[in-house]
Every structure is written in C-alpha cells, then in structure tokens.
Amino acid sequence: MNYKKNLIVLSILSAATSAYANTSPELPLTKRDPLTFQQWHLQNTGQTGFSKSAGTVGQDLNVDFADRMGIKGRGITVSVIDTGVEISHPDLADNVVPGSRNLIDGSDYPLDNHGHGTSVAGLIAAVEGNNIGGRGVAPYANLVGFNYLDEQSMASWMVSHGLSEDFRALDRFTDPRVFNQSYGSTPASPRNGDLSKDPAAELEEAIMQDITLNSHWGRGAIYVKSAGNSFGYYNTYINGVKYLVLPYENKEFFNNQGLPFHDANITVDNASNWNLVVSALNADGKLASYSSVGSNIFLSAPGGEYGEDAPAMVTTDLTGCDKGMNRTGPHGNSLHGGTELDPECNYAGTMNGTSSAAPNTSGAIATVMSANPALDSRTIRHLLASTARKTDPTNPGVMLQFENAQGEMVSYDAIPSWQTNAAGYNFHYFYGLGAVNVDDAVFKALFTGVSLPKLQVTDWQKKSQTLQFLTRVLMAQ
C-alpha cells in the first residue's frame, strides 16, 4: 500500500480517530523506550535482539502506519490466560484494569511464579513512552491476567475464558475482547473428534462460540491460541506419565525429511473453529525451528528463535535478578545478567515459541479492533485474513521421494508449497493464510462500515477416503 498517495485521506482520519488515538509520536518507534531499538518484531531494521546474529530487514508485524496514527489498542482489554501476570510490573501496571484473578486463592493478584505469563503480557501491551524497557504491540490496550496453568479446573477455565464467577457471560466494555492462550498439549495420538463423547471439550466449545459471537452486545471476542512447539520433538503424557518423544531409532536420530514430527491438529482445542491458531516466525520471516504446523494454522506471527545464536523476543520479565528468565550471571544473550540497559533484570531477550507468536497476534488484534471498535470479531478475523502477507514466498513445502512396492522411485507432495484455497486466499501448511500485517488490516478497518453478514453453519459432510485410496492403488497397478 502506498501511503503517500493517501495523505489527504489520512489527515481526515487523524481527526476521525482522535477518540482512540494519542498524538503522533515525535521519535521513531525504535527510539522511544530504551529497549525498543532491539524489538525487531515491531520494526525489523536488521537488529540482533541482543543475540549473536541479526534478522532480515522488514520481517516484522508492520506497525508503522498504526503507530504514526496513534492506533494502539486503546479501549480493548486482553486477557492473558497463563502462568499468571506480575500486574505490578513497572512496564505493565499502567495498562492493568480490574478483572484479574488468582485462581488458587481467589485474590485479584494472579501471582506469576514462572515469568511466562508476564513476558506474554509485555508483548501484548507493555507501556510505551515511560522511558523504561520496551513496548507492546498494542501499548494502550488494557490487560487482565489469570494463573490458569496453576489451577486447571473446569471452573478456572470458564472464569479465565470469559465467564463471571456465577458463570454468566461477560459483556461490559472493560471485559476482554481478546483472550490469549499461550499454552497447549501434545497428545501422542488424536482423540475422537466427536465432542458429544467428551463433555468437557463440548462445554468449552459452546462457551467459546457464545462469547465469540454474542458477547459485547454482539460484537464478540477473539480467542488466540499458540500452535505448539513440537516440530522436531515433543513431550506427552500417557497414563499420567510424562514422555519425551524424539525422532530416534536404533540409537540414532533419523532424518524426518523436513516433515514436522507432530501435527498441531492433533490437539482438540487447536482444531476448534473458535480458536485462531498461530504458528511462529523467526527474524528472517521463516518458520521458527520449533513451531508446530498444520492445516488448522490461521496466521503466522513473530516468535523468534532462542535469543542466543539468533534473535528471540525482547519483553518484560519478572522483576529482580533472582527470578524469571533473566538472572544474575553470564548469559549468551547480552541483555541478561544485570546490564547497564536493565540493571534490575526486569526484561528478557530470550522469550520465544508460539507462546510469543500468540501474544504478538493478540496485540495486533487489539490494535485493529481499536481502529474501529464497532466491527464484530468475525469481521476483524476477516480483515486479518484478507491482508495477511505471504511470508517466505518461495518455500517449497516438502516433497518426498521413495521406492514403492514395485521398486520404482516415486514422488509424493507431502506438504505443498504456497497454494490458493477455494476461497481465493493464499495458504501454506506452515504459515496458514500468511503473516500478520497490522497496518493493512488497520487501514481496511478504518474504511469498513459494516460487519460481515450473520454466520451460517452447514452440517458436516462425510466422504469415504477408503474408496478414494483403493481407487488410486488400483490405478497405480
């Protein structure tokens, strides 16, 4: 999009959006707070993120237009469903609103003993312009937090995912319109997809559908879900025992020919229509080494690598040098250990995973919502889908070659390259519809006057794959 051709339009929009915008910043985004110059996911100038190597210029969320317009999540609340959130953190506290809950003791302080949730919250909405740390994707958005991963009962799930404690749907203006779920499981085998045989999953599905479509006086909310970090190996539980599953045979790692070792679809909630599932990109705009993938991936977003050899995320950490990811002592990431830029170890440069891709997407959604708060959640998803960028455009997918039963060498397109789906959208098994593109989605939101027509749901269609398979076998003989 050529923004120079729209200067007249933008001057009009600056007045029209003043209810949701601060004044345009005087400093470039990368110079506004001490650590923003290394936050490549916001503006990738080829920085290192305090690691040993640099990323590729331009491989970021594309937030320059929204930033200049002051469209940064104002009025949108994001729920961080995680290990908890240090809501008193100096770079988060000003954006925290009432509604957080400690699901263990019932207090309103969702104690975070790990740091994961605090880092997630910083990616979404760390405060901008306070001269400390960095900023979030949506630095004017509201935050609430839940320590759901410490208390995973059904009651805790319902409260953290949008129901009040008497289990009525929330719909007040301050209640979340975005729910970030940077967590998941990796079952060793798929479960039966018939939700009528899984009452808990059926209830969760019904709640997410209702809140997605009907909360906030019909504007609804969006659930964002991390795809998982199981491309090369994964942990799973079988009969209550934890197992590490590796591509390992006869005492050696085997070459998986570029195929993922685990499919994101296998997890039931990853296959839900009401979860917007996200895979992770590195600082070069390609699939992060660990990111789970599958046909359920809706979008991809920055997640980074591990922060030592290649950039991870720079975000908030538990305060103090004795807890969280950043602690006293030498480290491969030069931000860590108690440095001049962060003497109290309140930030980290090693946050990564689809756990980072999800909050970057949640922050993007809050930004787009704040550009036009009247649009419903399905329309926001549509805008994100229609503006997604084809990242890693030459990715060939995975073509397998092997010898068949007749001794012939044959090829199988196991993972296709980028293709166009039946709706006319680009799609890749690794990246879904493409990389989140904040500016183009915001621009479209500003000029979208009405939401999509009412959702129509068709019945499931059954097709016999066995007959098709046998037909192919017979034709090959």
Side-chain angles (χ1 to χ4, degrees), residues 64-359:
D64 185 65
F65 170 69
D67 178 71
R68 292 293 172 180
M69 290 293 292
I71 301 171
K72 306 178 186 181
R74 185 179 300 281
I76 306 299
T77 300
V78 183
S79 174
V80 179
I81 308 166
D82 215 286
T83 59
V85 176
E86 187 179 327
I87 58 176
S88 58
H89 191 290
D91 221 1
L92 300 177
D94 285 350
N95 284 339
V96 173
V97 295
S100 297
R101 182 53 52 94
N102 186 317
L103 298 169
I104 296 176
D105 65 16
S107 72
D108 59 4
Y109 197 99
L111 184 65
D112 183 8
N113 289 315
H114 184 278
H116 187 273
T118 298
S119 292
V120 164
L123 288 172
I124 297 168
V127 176
E128 178 188 59
N130 57 358
N131 296 316
I132 59 172
R135 59 159 271 191
V137 178
Y140 300 151
N142 302 324
L143 288 168
V144 294
F146 298 88
N147 55 345
Y148 169 67
L149 296 185
D150 289 338
E151 211 295 300
Q152 297 182 41
S153 67
M154 177 54 71
S156 292
W157 185 96
M158 289 192 283
V159 170
S160 60
H161 287 73
L163 297 183
S164 62
E165 291 190 356
D166 57 2
F167 306 128
R168 291 179 296 180
L170 302 173
D171 60 7
R172 301 185 303 275
F173 278 119
T174 56
D175 293 324
R177 286 200 72 194
V178 187
F179 295 86
N180 189 86
Q181 306 158 94
S182 287
Y183 65 84
S185 61
T186 46
S189 60
R191 293 164 60 187
N192 191 318
D194 183 356
L195 293 181
S196 66
K197 298 180 180 179
D198 188 340
E202 186 176 32
L203 177 59
E204 291 174 1
E205 184 85 353
I207 290 170
M208 288 196 296
Q209 176 177 345
D210 180 43
I211 291 175
T212 297
L213 300 178
N214 302 320
S215 66
H216 294 272
W217 299 278
R219 291 178 302 151
I222 294 179
Y223 292 89
V224 180
K225 180 73 171 59
S226 58
N229 306 323
S230 303
F231 192 98
Y233 62 91
Y234 62 96
N235 293 307
T236 192
Y237 286 86
I238 301 175
N239 296 326
V241 179
K242 184 177 180 180
Y243 291 89
L244 174 62
V245 184
L246 298 165
Y248 192 73
E249 187 175 41
N250 297 326
K251 298 183 179 180
E252 292 184 359
F253 286 97
F254 64 78
N255 183 355
N256 211 30
Q257 304 296 327
L259 291 172
F261 198 55
H262 193 274
D263 194 305
N265 277 298
I266 292 179
T267 306
V268 172
D269 51 357
N270 276 6
S272 170
N273 174 67
W274 312 110
N275 270 330
L276 191 161
V277 181
V278 187
S279 64
L281 303 173
N282 60 27
D284 295 315
K286 299 183 178 181
L287 188 73
S289 59
Y290 49 77
S291 181
S292 295
V293 295
S295 59
N296 59 329
I297 302 300
F298 192 81
L299 295 167
S300 51
E305 290 295 342
Y306 294 96
E308 295 192 26
D309 294 329
M313 297 285 107
V314 176
T315 183
T316 48
D317 191 22
L318 295 179
T319 54
C321 292
D322 59 345
K323 51 189 174 181
M325 290 180 278
N326 184 357
R327 303 190 181 208
T328 301
H331 195 279
N333 184 283
S334 62
L335 176 64
H336 285 222
T339 60
E340 183 178 354
L341 279 173
D342 181 25
E344 297 179 0
C345 307
N346 293 345
Y347 300 87
T350 56
M351 178 64 180
N352 61 13
T354 55
S355 284
S356 294

